[in-house]
Amino acid sequence: MATATNIDLSPVTDSGIYSSNVREDSARTASEILQEDLAIHHVFFNDEHFHNHIPHQVLSIYALGASPEDIRACYERNKTYQRPALPSSQDVIQSMHEVAKFQEYFGKEEHYPNYLAFFQHEIDEKGICRVLEEYVFAGDERAESMMCRMFGGLIHPLIHLGFGLEFNQPAIVAQGLAQTAVHDDWLGRAFFISAEKMAGGIGKPGRKSLLQLLNEIRADKALIESVQWSDGNKIKDGVLHRAPEQMLKYASQFTVSEDQVDERLADMINTVVYYTSAAQRPTREMRLDFFFIHCVNSSIFFSKIVNLPFVNQQSKLRMLEWKGRIDLLMYTSRGTPDLLLDEVANYPLKEDWSQIFSRSIAHPSDDGHLAKLARALANGQKVCQAYESKNPEMPIRGDMWLRIGNIAVDSTVDEGDRPMWVRSTGFDEAWEPQERAHM
């Protein structure tokens, strides 16, 4: 039985929003490996706060039909550079029941094991529903800070929590919440909360799609010029430093009312896949942006979140609105690259989804990003198909999904020191292999 301390995957009930040929023996192997990772590894694998992606990769390839041997091979490769788990303190864990103490430890990575143990106990006592309501959706200072932190760190806390919710694993949810607590909340304070206030609150009827807002941003000179290659953090030192009012103006216009959820979900997925796939250079081999793929990879969880019976409608609307807003901000922060849809539409169809999944599973150096991308793309096709005839402006349609899947596996071929991804595609320097990309 899956609990907040025990991982137990079943191919019948826990195969995810999108899966293909999930195996019973792989479920057992994935459960064992995730249990070991939970026990012995830290949330960050280095001092720069790069994230442990083992749960992301294991769950992704398990859902795509990986064998036990495939899962073990990925784990053996990616456990070699993980940091060991830090010790926890019962005194600190107990003190976290006081709101002031809980917040005192925010943003401090050494308290990840304490937050993890705390949330494990809370989930086993109260269940995921009540814990999310109390610590993320309550609207008080503690919950607001958690909500802000969840969308920090290149949305890794959201991704981790999403995996826990999608695969019905309370232990992964506990990890996601603990990870959330040790991130910072500056982006939430500077961007999400401000955009929400400008929008007039949560759930206002949206008059513009995410695609419309993206196109308006692409024509706004202030935003186009707001980021420089030399910016250390292209969101903080670029967009939100040089053009915060302009960015907030567009972000605040992405709103979702209760009757728009399904339409806006498809709009969000289609738009992020559009700018991720079409941000190309005609004179360069096709590549995908490392930052953009996080917007695609996190999109799959919203197919689960918007249908969770234990999350209230207001919280679902808020999550979807924040997701659309981070998508707009991410695109702008990478230098508002030109989007060449013909490059995507004309890409050769060489492999079907099963072949793309197989290549993603077997990639010799992927840490999970490619497998996550392949699964999110296949899910995007499923979600958006129903809207192709209703919305003729939707840019990604028909066999383009499969073409993008081919681009994903072809562009990440392991070739020595060649990076799998481009970072910040709007800048000429990003396409020069000798240049070091900045965050």
Side-chain angles (χ1 to χ4, degrees), residues 182-228:
V182 298
H183 279 74
D184 55 48
D185 65 351
W186 71 265
L187 181 58
R189 303 294 184 184
F191 179 65
F192 291 108
I193 299 296
S194 297
E196 193 166 272
K197 288 177 180 175
M198 286 181 66
I202 302 163
K204 302 294 183 183
R207 292 190 294 272
K208 293 181 181 178
S209 68
L210 197 66
L211 178 64
Q212 287 175 286
L213 292 166
L214 179 81
N215 287 331
E216 289 182 19
I217 286 171
R218 294 176 62 199
D220 191 312
K221 186 177 180 183
L223 286 174
I224 292 170
E225 297 177 351
S226 68
V227 189
Q228 298 173 8

Side-chain angles (χ1 to χ4, degrees), residues 40-54 78-86 107-110 112 153 156 179 182-183 290 367 369 423 436:
I40 70 173
H41 293 140
H42 190 39
V43 62
F44 301 122
F45 69 75
N46 64 18
D47 293 333
E48 298 176 68
H49 291 180
F50 286 19
H51 299 82
N52 174 355
H53 284 80
I54 286 171
N78 286 301
K79 76 176 186 180
T80 58
Y81 54 84
Q82 303 300 326
R83 289 168 60 194
L86 300 174
K108 300 173 181 176
E109 70 153 279
E110 64 269 24
Y112 171 75
H156 277 98
Q179 186 181 131
V182 298
H183 279 74
F290 178 75
D367 62 357
H369 286 95
R423 285 168 164 78
R436 179 181 173 81

Side-chain angles (χ1 to χ4, degrees), residues 6 8 22 38 98 232 271 329 333 360 438:
N6 183 61
D8 186 11
V22 177
L38 175 67
E98 300 175 32
T271 301
L329 178 60
S333 72
S360 301
H438 299 276

